Amino acid sequence: MIKDFDTVIDRSQFYSVKWQAGEETLPMWVADMDFETAPVIKVALKKAVDHGVYGYTKLPARYFEAVQSWWKRRYDCHFDQEAILYSSSVVGSLATIIRAFTEVNDEILVQSPVYHMFYHVIESNQRIVCESPLNYDGQAYQMNFEDLEAKLSRPQVKMMVLCQPHNPIGVMWSHQVLTRLVELCKQYEVQLISDEIHGDITKGDTRYIPVEKVAQEQGVSVITLTAPTKTFNLAGIQASNVMVSDPDLREKVNQALSLDFINHPTLLGITATIAAYEEGESWLNDLRQVIDRNRDDLDQMLKTQFPKIRLLPSQATYLMWLDISELTEDSDAFVSFLKERTGLIVTSGHLFRGNGHHFIRMNIACPHALLIEGINRLIEGAKAYQAV
C-alpha cells in the first residue's frame, strides 16, 4: 500500500469546491478524492507545464492507443480507435446527446435513485424525466423489469440513461441483468446511454462489466460515457471520452459534440489521460485496496457503535449509500443537523429522488484519519439527532 494515501493534504488554497465551507467542517460529499493523483500523472503534467507553451492541441495516435488498450487489457472489451471521441466532460456529453437524439417534451428514462445531474440535464433541456424506481427490499436494490418494460414500451420514451456501476447505490449490474436491459432497449427502439465513469473503482475481485461488451453480443448500438477523472482524481482537467462503435451513430454523436464545441482537447487533458492509461494501473490497484479498507472500517464502526445507520453492500465506487430509515425519513433535515452540530458534510439522498429520502451518501475516498474523524462525527450527530 502506498503511504501517500494516508497523507492529509490541504486543498483549501487551490479553489476546491469541496473545501470551501470553513475550517471546522469536514466535507465528505462531492465525488472527488482527497488523494493526490498517481505519481506518473504528476510527472507527465509537470513536464507539460514546464514546457511553458499551452496552445491549441490535437489528439495524437498515442491517445487512442492508450484508451483502447486500457479497455481491452482490463475489461476484455474492444473498441476500434475510431470509436473513441474526446469530450470535455461526461455531463456535457450527456447534455449534447440528449439534444441531438431527442426532441423537447420527449421522455428519457432513468432508474431512481440515481445521480442527480441526470435529472438536471434532462429537465434543463426541456425533456421529461421518466422514472423507473429500483426495487429495494431493505437490504439491496434490483432492477424492476416489469416497470422498466412498461415504461420503455411507451412511444414517448426515446432514450434511457443508465449508470454502470450505479451512483449512488454502488451496484455493479451483472451480465444477466445488462443482457435483459439491452434486449428491452433494442425491442422498443430506445437509445441506451451508459454512464460508466465509476467503472474502474470496484470492490475486491469484482470485475467491471462494460455495457458495450453486452451490446456487442446482442448486436445493439449503445453510447458509453467514460473518463479517467473519477479513477485518477482528475476532475479539474476536464477530459472524457464518448465511445460509440456503430459508425452511423458515431457520426451523429461526433457532429453534435462539434456543434456544442465540447470536443476540443487540452494539453493537460491529453497528457493526463495517456499517463493514466499507460502507466497508472499499479496506482489504481493500490487505491482500490484503500477504498476497500475504508469501506470495511465504516461498516464495522456503524455496526458496533450505531447500527441504526446501515451501509448497503456495494461492489463499486467510493460513494457509500447509508440507510438512515431507522433514524429518520427526512434525509434533508438530518444532513442539515449533521453539518450544524458536527461540521460533517454529506449528501442528502433526497437529491437522487426515488426512495433517497431514507438515505445519505458519504464519500470515503480520503486519508484514513479523515475517514475515522468523519465516521465519529456521523455517529455523534446521529446520537444527538436521535435524542432531540
Side-chain angles (χ1 to χ4, degrees), residues 105-366:
N105 293 327
D106 281 347
E107 294 189 16
I108 299 175
L109 189 145
V110 299
Q111 295 172 296
S112 57
V114 74
Y115 179 43
H116 63 284
M117 288 301 294
F118 287 0
Y119 304 113
H120 178 69
V121 170
I122 293 167
E123 292 169 345
S124 65
N125 281 290
Q126 298 177 282
R127 275 64 171 173
I128 298 170
V129 171
C130 176
E131 286 189 52
S132 178
L134 296 167
N135 281 337
Y136 180 61
D137 62 5
Q139 300 296 322
Y141 287 92
Q142 294 87 31
M143 286 193 191
N144 182 343
F145 277 108
E146 182 178 352
D147 181 76
L148 191 60
E149 181 166 10
K151 288 172 178 170
L152 286 172
S153 68
R154 291 162 53 170
Q156 60 267 44
V157 173
K158 306 296 185 183
M159 178 179 289
M160 176 177 177
V161 184
L162 174 73
C163 239
Q164 166 68 347
H166 194 99
N167 170 19
I169 67 176
V171 169
M172 177 69 69
W173 301 118
S174 70
H175 189 279
Q176 181 180 7
V177 166
L178 292 174
T179 298
R180 178 66 178 136
L181 175 63
V182 167
E183 288 172 345
L184 286 174
C185 288
K186 180 181 181 180
Q187 179 180 348
Y188 295 108
E189 299 182 342
V190 173
Q191 180 61 61
L192 181 60
I193 315 297
S194 186
D195 176 356
E196 307 192 13
I197 196 170
H198 290 280
D200 291 318
I201 301 178
T202 56
K203 179 181 179 182
D205 295 330
T206 303
R207 189 172 175 84
Y208 161 50
I209 303 172
V211 174
E212 170 69 18
K213 191 171 181 181
V214 177
Q216 288 179 7
E217 295 168 359
Q218 301 298 318
V220 178
S221 298
V222 301
I223 300 171
T224 301
L225 309 179
T226 186
T229 50
K230 285 289 184 283
T231 307
F232 295 97
N233 206 26
L234 297 167
I237 68 165
Q238 294 287 287
S240 75
N241 293 301
V242 183
M243 323 282 270
V244 193
S245 289
D246 180 84
D248 294 333
L249 184 63
R250 178 168 68 244
E251 179 58 28
K252 189 171 181 180
V253 172
N254 193 35
Q255 288 179 2
L257 296 173
S258 298
L259 286 172
D260 281 353
F261 297 96
I262 62 169
N263 63 341
H264 297 286
T266 65
L267 172 64
L268 298 187
I270 294 171
T271 300
T273 301
I274 291 173
Y277 287 155
E278 285 187 349
E279 303 179 85
E281 201 157 2
S282 175
W283 180 91
L284 172 59
N285 292 336
D286 288 336
L287 169 71
R288 293 169 67 240
Q289 291 182 45
V290 171
I291 300 300
D292 286 353
R293 175 202 64 184
N294 286 1
R295 182 190 293 107
D296 290 344
D297 287 350
L298 171 62
D299 190 34
Q300 283 303 115
M301 288 181 69
L302 288 175
K303 283 178 177 176
T304 57
Q305 299 182 44
F306 200 83
K308 285 189 175 181
I309 296 180
R310 294 183 296 110
L311 172 63
L312 262 65
S314 63
Q315 298 85 47
T317 88
Y318 51 74
L319 303 168
M320 302 295 106
W321 194 232
L322 301 172
D323 188 333
I324 60 171
S325 59
E326 288 188 44
L327 179 66
T328 179
E329 294 188 354
D330 189 346
S331 60
D332 287 342
F334 180 58
V335 165
S336 295
F337 182 89
L338 273 180
K339 182 179 178 181
E340 174 143 358
R341 182 65 175 252
T342 72
L344 178 65
I345 307 174
V346 294
T347 305
S348 170
H350 185 256
L351 190 66
F352 306 98
R353 303 190 191 181
N355 69 337
H357 56 286
H358 288 165
F359 293 83
I360 58 174
R361 192 188 75 172
M362 185 174 184
N363 180 349
I364 61 166
C366 61

Side-chain angles (χ1 to χ4, degrees), residues 11 14-21 27 29-30 32:
R11 298 179 60 193
F14 288 90
Y15 322 114
S16 167
V17 169
K18 195 175 186 179
W19 288 91
Q20 296 299 313
W29 60 286
V30 71
D32 71 5

Side-chain angles (χ1 to χ4, degrees), residues 35-89:
F35 304 129
E36 289 189 355
T37 192
V40 292
I41 298 175
K42 289 176 62 179
V43 169
L45 288 174
K46 186 176 186 303
K47 182 178 179 181
V49 170
D50 287 347
H51 177 62
V53 180
Y54 315 120
Y56 297 115
T57 52
K58 180 181 179 181
L59 291 169
R62 186 178 170 192
Y63 179 92
F64 299 102
E65 292 164 1
V67 176
Q68 181 189 49
S69 176
W70 180 265
W71 281 71
K72 184 64 178 176
R73 186 171 71 249
R74 287 188 70 88
Y75 309 118
D76 192 28
C77 183
H78 176 75
F79 282 101
D80 291 336
Q81 292 182 24
E82 294 79 9
I84 302 165
L85 306 175
Y86 185 99
S87 171
S88 58
S89 77

